[in-house]
Amino acid sequence: MREVTMREAAAMLRKWDDILVLSHRSPDGDTLGCAAALVDALLSIGKRAMFRCADAIPEKFFYLFRELRLDAFTPAHIVTVDVADKALLGSLEPLGEKAELAIDHHFGSHRPFAACRWVEEAAACCMMEAELLEEMGAKITPRIADALYTGLATDTGCFKYANVTPKAHRAAAALIERGARAAQINTALFDTKSRTQIRLESAIFSGMELFFDGKCAVVCLPKALIAETGATESDLDGVSALARQVEGVACGVTIRERGEGEYKISLRTAEPVDAVPIARTFGGGGHKFAAGCTLHGTLEEVKARLLSACGEAVRAL
Ligand SMILES: [Mn+2]
């Protein structure tokens, strides 16, 4: 694996053709915004480009791809965007093994898999891409600005998270200057909930448990509860933020049943609790205030293991 700079990454993309762009599974606004913007930019400079993701695109992100004419061809080069680990490609993992370039902002937790990687510490992968596209000589059209703004807004929690820097705001400002529809995007993504989401959230808040003097909140999402509320993947988006929203909680844990005895864990923390070491204990990773892992066992076992790790992290507070 070779580390490359933004300039080298731009040069590679400029030289290549027939490029496949891959997003991570359970796609969010950042990985999809990156993919849509990159494909759009590649097409605009005369390349053939296509996009794939192991999971379906949530309906609220359809606008990113609506006007994009995606080609179908045998790819000559594969690029991943916002993918920290090839396992996050889901069923497309074999394609990840053939990737030549990984563009990612999970600095410190990115596990190399592509031949080359350009990894930086940035609020969103879309923020890196804004610079990359300029370097490639692609015009940031209003549609590309929308896509990049979507990723920036998504990964900053609508400019609320601790990863928001002056640079992130300047990047957002530059995208708005290029025509990004900030108000519409933010209203659709952060200020609109389906009725199913409201049902799900009310079930979550009534079942939430607090531990360690209220410093740790745990939410369990068994498959039966998800089925009962009729929640889809896109309704579940954002549920992992709820546990941490309770006043006094420094460590919010969401335990979602994925398969038989398999649980997807989302950790959301507040200063000074670092979520990464907790996730790492269980073979996961992520960012300081947002990390995740997968655990196996019964729900009670999984909860006990998590509580012991989280208890250690919040005990001194
Ligand atoms: Mn991201």
Side-chain angles (χ1 to χ4, degrees):
M1 193 279 301
R2 190 163 66 89
E3 305 274 357
V4 295
T5 63
M6 185 263 284
R7 289 214 163 136
E8 288 172 295
M12 289 163 84
L13 289 162
R14 259 200 316 259
K15 199 174 70 192
W16 293 346
D17 202 352
D18 293 353
I19 300 161
L20 167 63
V21 181
L22 297 179
S23 278
H24 62 71
R25 73 176 179 206
S26 308
D28 59 20
D30 192 30
T31 196
L32 292 174
C34 273
L38 183 55
V39 166
D40 204 340
L42 289 167
L43 294 172
S44 79
I45 56 169
K47 312 279 185 187
R48 285 207 295 184
M50 60 192 268
F51 159 73
R52 285 187 72 185
C53 178
D55 296 327
I57 299 171
E59 220 168 296
K60 65 178 174 186
F61 293 123
F62 280 3
Y63 68 93
L64 293 172
F65 297 90
R66 193 163 290 141
E67 293 167 38
L68 274 188
R69 194 186 48 80
L70 294 174
D71 295 331
F73 52 84
T74 307
H77 304 278
I78 300 175
V79 185
T80 65
V81 284
D82 193 39
V83 179
D85 188 319
K86 66 180 178 181
L88 297 174
L89 290 165
S91 60
L92 301 181
E93 192 176 326
L95 289 174
E97 279 159 15
K98 293 190 217 157
E100 284 172 86
L101 177 62
I103 301 170
D104 186 30
H105 69 122
H106 296 87
F107 190 82
S109 65
H110 180 98
R111 291 201 172 105
F113 57 89
C116 296
R117 70 169 184 182
W118 170 41
V119 181
E120 270 182 22
E121 177 91 70
C125 198
C126 275
M127 218 168 116
M128 295 168 63
E129 225 186 71
E131 290 176 32
L132 178 81
L133 300 190
E134 302 255 15
E135 177 69 24
M136 278 166 59
K139 186 171 185 284
I140 308 291
T141 60
R143 195 169 63 200
I144 290 179
D146 269 354
L148 296 174
Y149 185 90
T150 297
L152 190 48
T154 299
D155 273 21
T156 56
C158 200
F159 302 90
K160 279 190 307 212
Y161 297 159
N163 61 359
V164 178
T165 55
K167 196 179 169 190
H169 277 291
R170 278 194 287 268
L175 292 169
I176 295 169
E177 277 166 354
R178 262 75 185 288
R181 296 165 302 165
Q184 280 107 308
I185 291 170
N186 288 329
T187 302
L189 296 184
F190 307 102
D191 238 359
T192 309
K193 282 174 184 175
S194 67
R195 275 174 277 181
T196 306
Q197 266 175 314
I198 300 293
R199 269 203 304 278
L200 184 71
E201 286 190 12
S202 90
I204 284 172
F205 284 122
S206 57
M208 185 183 284
E209 293 176 280
L210 293 173
F211 299 89
F212 312 114
D213 286 330
K215 285 177 274 193
C216 179
V218 177
V219 162
C220 295
L221 283 172
K223 279 208 267 189
L225 175 70
I226 297 170
E228 213 173 283
T229 55
T232 63
E233 247 348 281
S234 108
D235 293 318
L236 285 158
D237 199 62
V239 293
S240 40
L242 299 177
R244 220 272 315 131
Q245 286 173 3
V246 181
E247 186 178 23
V249 170
C251 183
V253 182
T254 305
I255 306 173
R256 179 177 163 194
E257 185 180 12
R258 207 178 212 160
E260 197 54 51
E262 186 184 308
Y263 297 87
K264 184 192 167 205
I265 315 302
S266 300
L267 299 159
R268 297 290 181 273
T269 59
E271 194 73 61
V273 179
D274 188 344
V276 175
I278 306 173
R280 285 246 168 97
T281 313
F282 305 110
H287 303 284
K288 184 172 181 193
F289 300 118
C293 57
T294 300
L295 282 176
H296 298 267
T298 66
L299 181 57
E300 286 313 307
E301 284 163 6
V302 163
K303 201 161 107 182
R305 290 172 68 193
L306 284 163
L307 279 175
S308 123
C310 294
E312 233 155 276
V314 300
R315 189 161 301 144
L317 302 182

